[in-house]
Amino acid sequence: MADIESILKEERVFLPPSQFASAARIKSLDEYARLYERAAREPEGFWAEVAKELHWFSPWTQVLDWNPPWAKWFVGAKTNLAYNCLDRHLGTPRKNKAALIWEGEPGDRRTVTYQQLHREVCRFANVLSRLGIRPGDRVMIYMPLIPEIAVAMLACARVGATHSVVFGGFSAEALRDRTNDAGAKLVITADGGYRRGKVVPLKANVDQAVKDTPTVENVIVVKRTGESIAWVPGRDHYWHEVIEAASDKHDAVPLDSEHPLFILYTSGTTGKPKGIVHTTGGYMVGTYLSTKWVFDIKEEDTFWCTADVGWVTGHSYVVYGPLSNGATTMMYEGAPDHPEPDRFWRLIDAYDVSIFYTAPTAIRSFIRWGEQWPMKHDLTSLRLLGTVGEPINPEAWMWYHKVLGGGRCPIVDTWWQTETGAIMVSPLPGATPTKPGSCTRPLPGVVADVVAKDGRSLGPNEGGYLVIKKPWPSMLRTIHGDPDRYVKQYFSEIPGVYFAGDGARRDADGYFWVMGRVDDVINVAGHRLGTMEIESAIVSHPKVAEAAVVGRPDELKGQGIVAFVTLKKGNDPRPELQDMLREHVAKEIGALARPDEIRFTEALPKTRSGKIMRRLLKEIASTGAAKGDTTTLEDMSVLLRLSTSSEEE
Ligand code: ATP
Ligand code: MG
């Protein structure tokens, strides 16, 4: 018996275009299957071979030390991730290639070559050392999306300081709590950053935060906006002043493979964020290989991952994955709708971006704004599209495929988590036929399964728990300061495997379909339904842009379904539409899933990383107000509007 029932039927299949496949690294499903089988048969040999493509100052004595649930990879080896992202390329024709292409929100532009980036990182590494930062010290990074954020991260990695990036949109309190949790000695920030034409007062937030962070000794400030800021002499230092005085010669510190590289907090979709610890060698190997295979990255590509570096996606696929591959990575500081909703398309056109990686939440916004915006620009430079962050509804996938990809670009729907460090389940674009809404199959080296609560593997189309059964190099090592919670959170609920909260099914072709968070499963008259399938049915209505469904206590059925729905621009939230949508769902996937109530809303509560926070909607649907952790909520007013409207009813 399945733990979650599946009702969605999606039959469309898209083959990799033959031209794409013939030029790709992995060219066919057979080739994928051979690699997968090899990695499954001999995982340590497989990963060691990948690791050997990178630079190690001294070799490992053991590939994996697995003392469940504690993993060590490339035991005893010494390496440096910044060396692998920079120095490794300097003796090659990549030396004068663009490492980073950047545009600020006001339209200012910078291109930084590998050699230039190397020099900046070396200088900043010398600055860190001069300020007394030693291997293992923690450094907070609270910056706008400017090239200096990559320099700061790479310089930390170079000297062995453990960085913790806090998204620049977070409050002073969030920065304070994370700084204290990490026990950081240094904060790197800017005088401000641009967002929708306004200046975000980063330095003022830092001033506020470090009033209550006894471990912080110094603050380094990039001059980005030139706004006037408060200054504490002795503690505060301007980036341009300290870096000017520093030498551009620096030897990367050989670090133990298990040296902690960073602490990063999860998005907070299901509760209070967890401080995830990643280490050096394994994370490097995982992000390197996944970038190479999933994005089929080539020398001539311009790769744009739109995530903020404050999220794991930005760590792995703006900075470390692309640079360890010697690729050109693109960064844009601001909002997608500034000054108009075509900023992203303008950028793709202007820089001939070839690979574009974004989130379903962004795609649903693009759909809502209308296709006239992408239509105004030449997007033919694109050859590959990707998504991450949430399940993508099949209709959003189709829009992405047709409107942005012009029907010619494969889409890689990549399932992974802060905890996994790198992509785990995803198509390989030259090999894997895709199905809208499915992240398809696990990468070679990843042993994923769908199981029941007791750990039993489930059969085709039976919904259950998405688990990983074998350790992988880029896995989290612990929760910072709370090893017991690490064991409890990830390795206790289902015997013997890693489980981090997602429900899924696998179809007859072995394709994974993420059905949403298991915490969000709705129980209707004894049927356990995932949120993704009902939401996808609602979103398949031509007037709908986005939907979130939650359960509400119901005396008869156990739970009733409440759907929060955002319409595409130009559609009125008329009451008749509520009935039409309820019937639409019944027709698409069955009467069982027919929502009891449809509520129209201009916006859904989301995390800053763009994920729908159903736990808050659930509270609103049953009690009229949300009481859970809202520290990572994007816009408090959305919640307030939803709560008041329910009180008026
Ligand atoms: P928290 O753990 O604090 O609740 P979070 O899980 O949202 O927050 P992240 O690590 O940023 O934090 O997100 C990982 C989650 O995002 C996955 O567990 C999954 O639910 C969702 N996700 C990511 N990519 C995909 C995808 N391609 N398809 C479906 N779901 C995805
Ligand atoms: Mg999570």
Side-chain angles (χ1 to χ4, degrees):
M1 198 198 75
D3 279 57
I4 310 173
E5 264 179 62
S6 175
I7 44 185
L8 178 82
K9 293 278 166 289
E10 175 55 61
E11 309 284 355
R12 289 169 286 200
V13 180
F14 295 84
L15 299 178
S18 57
Q19 246 187 329
F20 190 103
S22 60
R25 276 217 170 71
I26 297 162
K27 298 177 173 30
S28 69
L29 210 48
D30 277 352
E31 199 178 340
Y32 158 81
R34 277 197 302 277
L35 285 165
Y36 192 87
E37 201 274 322
R38 196 259 149 142
R41 192 164 19 91
E42 205 209 335
E44 296 183 21
F46 170 82
W47 286 115
E49 212 165 275
V50 176
K52 283 180 189 153
E53 295 178 24
L54 295 158
H55 177 84
W56 302 79
F57 294 102
S58 59
W60 49 88
T61 52
Q62 197 182 348
V63 175
L64 168 66
D65 172 1
W66 179 229
N67 176 20
W70 307 100
K72 290 185 185 148
W73 282 88
F74 310 108
V75 183
K78 295 235 185 303
T79 189
N80 187 290
L81 181 48
Y83 185 98
N84 275 286
C85 288
L86 301 169
D87 307 54
R88 198 167 80 82
H89 308 306
L90 296 185
T92 76
R94 290 176 186 147
K95 178 167 139 181
N96 291 314
K97 171 180 175 173
L100 206 72
I101 294 178
W102 173 84
E103 189 167 304
E105 198 184 75
D108 40 344
R109 298 174 164 194
R110 280 161 69 185
T111 301
V112 188
T113 67
Y114 272 95
Q115 177 164 251
Q116 290 166 337
L117 187 58
H118 176 257
R119 289 192 180 153
E120 286 306 288
V121 169
C122 285
R123 293 163 97 190
F124 199 65
N126 283 319
V127 169
L128 293 176
S129 300
R130 240 207 2 258
L131 288 176
I133 300 298
R134 300 282 169 260
D137 285 347
R138 272 82 64 211
V139 172
M140 306 308 288
I141 298 179
Y142 180 67
M143 297 170 80
L145 207 52
I146 54 178
E148 285 82 357
I149 194 169
V151 174
M153 291 165 77
L154 288 159
C156 285
R158 197 168 182 91
V159 304
T162 301
H163 60 66
S164 185
V165 183
V166 174
F167 171 57
F170 279 154
S171 65
E173 291 70 33
L175 176 63
R176 178 197 62 203
D177 292 350
R178 286 158 193 213
T179 306
N180 284 331
D181 191 52
K185 282 169 81 171
L186 171 69
V187 180
I188 308 170
T189 188
D191 55 358
Y194 294 102
R195 189 80 190 171
R196 293 211 169 81
K198 295 204 183 72
V199 169
V200 185
L202 296 170
K203 174 61 163 62
N205 289 344
V206 170
D207 290 336
Q208 173 80 26
V210 299
K211 278 187 193 148
D212 301 308
T213 57
T215 52
V216 173
E217 296 166 359
N218 291 288
V219 175
I220 298 180
V221 186
V222 177
K223 197 168 197 164
R224 165 78 186 117
T225 62
E227 300 274 300
S228 75
I229 50 174
W231 200 257
V232 178
R235 185 199 72 183
D236 296 351
H237 315 267
Y238 266 123
W239 174 291
H240 60 273
E241 287 173 4
V242 285
I243 207 166
E244 203 179 64
S247 156
D248 63 6
K249 303 270 181 298
H250 181 273
D251 291 329
V253 178
L255 297 166
D256 192 273
S257 177
E258 284 300 323
H259 187 77
L261 176 68
F262 64 81
I263 302 168
L264 184 66
Y265 292 83
T266 57
S267 291
T269 312
T270 56
K272 194 172 180 296
K274 302 165 281 276
I276 303 301
V277 177
H278 280 285
T279 59
T280 305
Y283 174 82
M284 170 172 84
V285 170
T287 50
Y288 166 76
L289 184 70
S290 54
T291 305
K292 183 169 150 181
W293 282 1
V294 173
F295 299 110
D296 189 43
I297 207 128
K298 301 242 172 23
E299 288 299 345
E300 57 273 28
D301 276 316
T302 301
F303 176 76
W304 185 18
C305 163
T306 68
D308 191 277
V309 172
W311 312 119
V312 73
T313 308
H315 281 57
S316 301
Y317 301 108
V318 175
V319 181
Y320 293 122
L323 297 180
S324 62
N325 277 277
T328 298
T329 185
M330 156 123 177
M331 254 186 193
Y332 162 60
E333 177 187 29
D337 55 350
H338 187 82
E340 290 204 283
D342 65 344
R343 186 63 182 270
F344 277 13
W345 324 134
R346 241 174 231 289
L347 287 162
I348 290 174
D349 193 350
Y351 295 92
D352 277 354
V353 171
S354 55
I355 307 175
F356 179 70
Y357 187 35
T358 197
T361 190
I363 296 169
R364 292 185 303 249
S365 296
F366 306 150
I367 295 173
R368 189 153 173 257
W369 296 335
E371 62 183 65
Q372 70 276 18
W373 295 106
M375 299 292 260
K376 281 169 57 176
H377 300 277
D378 179 4
L379 304 180
T380 52
S381 59
L382 290 171
R383 67 178 196 95
L384 176 61
L385 302 172
T387 83
V388 59
E390 289 184 296
I392 181 163
N393 315 115
E395 286 324 309
W397 195 102
M398 288 305 299
W399 187 94
Y400 202 27
H401 170 73
K402 280 191 202 140
V403 178
L404 285 196
R408 109 197 138 259
C409 304
I411 296 178
V412 287
D413 174 356
T414 63
W415 179 86
W416 61 294
Q417 309 173 306
T418 310
E419 293 89 341
T420 69
I423 296 167
M424 301 294 275
V425 185
S426 167
L428 297 177
T432 318
T434 50
K435 305 182 186 185
S438 168
C439 52
T440 77
R441 317 214 331 197
L443 299 188
V446 174
V447 184
D449 198 2
V450 177
V451 302
K453 192 86 202 192
D454 61 9
R456 206 169 22 91
S457 288
L458 291 171
N461 293 316
E462 291 184 324
Y465 302 80
L466 175 45
V467 300
I468 311 294
K469 293 184 140 167
K470 290 273 165 63
W472 65 101
S474 65
M475 67 189 280
L476 77 165
R477 298 300 193 266
T478 189
I479 293 179
H480 182 69
D482 201 349
D484 295 342
R485 186 166 176 213
Y486 166 76
V487 179
K488 236 171 82 203
Q489 184 91 34
Y490 303 112
F491 290 94
S492 301
E493 221 162 311
I494 298 174
V497 298
Y498 168 85
F499 169 63
D502 289 340
R505 71 179 163 98
R506 208 170 13 182
D507 69 17
D509 296 326
Y511 277 44
F512 284 73
W513 298 76
V514 176
M515 299 165 81
R517 317 287 180 136
V518 293
D519 290 359
D520 295 335
V521 164
I522 305 175
N523 195 333
V524 184
H527 300 271
R528 287 168 51 80
L529 305 177
T531 51
M532 190 273 187
E533 298 193 337
I534 310 173
E535 288 164 4
S536 292
I538 302 173
V539 171
S540 74
H541 190 279
K543 291 189 170 22
V544 173
E546 188 158 51
V549 299
V550 297
R552 163 181 74 192
D554 182 290
E555 275 184 21
L556 283 179
K557 295 191 287 186
Q559 280 188 311
I561 301 173
V562 181
F564 294 83
V565 175
T566 303
L567 298 174
K568 287 183 191 161
K569 289 248 178 285
N571 292 292
D572 288 336
R574 287 173 295 114
E576 309 89 84
L577 194 52
Q578 291 172 327
D579 290 332
M580 274 164 64
L581 286 177
R582 296 176 65 241
E583 286 325 303
H584 177 74
V585 173
K587 187 171 115 275
E588 290 288 309
I589 53 175
L592 179 67
R594 182 194 281 121
D596 297 272
E597 188 187 339
I598 302 267
R599 286 202 203 170
F600 293 116
T601 170
E602 273 293 303
L604 294 166
K606 289 182 184 167
T607 63
R608 297 274 182 160
S609 58
K611 296 165 200 261
I612 299 171
M613 296 170 94
R614 293 179 193 77
R615 63 182 163 90
L616 299 178
L617 291 173
K618 208 184 304 181
E619 293 177 332
I620 287 173
S622 49
T623 70
K627 297 196 179 57
D629 185 285
T630 51
T631 52
T632 67
L633 180 66
E634 178 193 27
D635 180 359
M636 200 64 194
S637 71
V638 172
L639 208 58
L640 294 175
R641 284 201 301 274
L642 283 164
S643 329
T644 356
S645 69
S646 78
E647 270 157 29
E648 283 163 5
E649 280 170 10

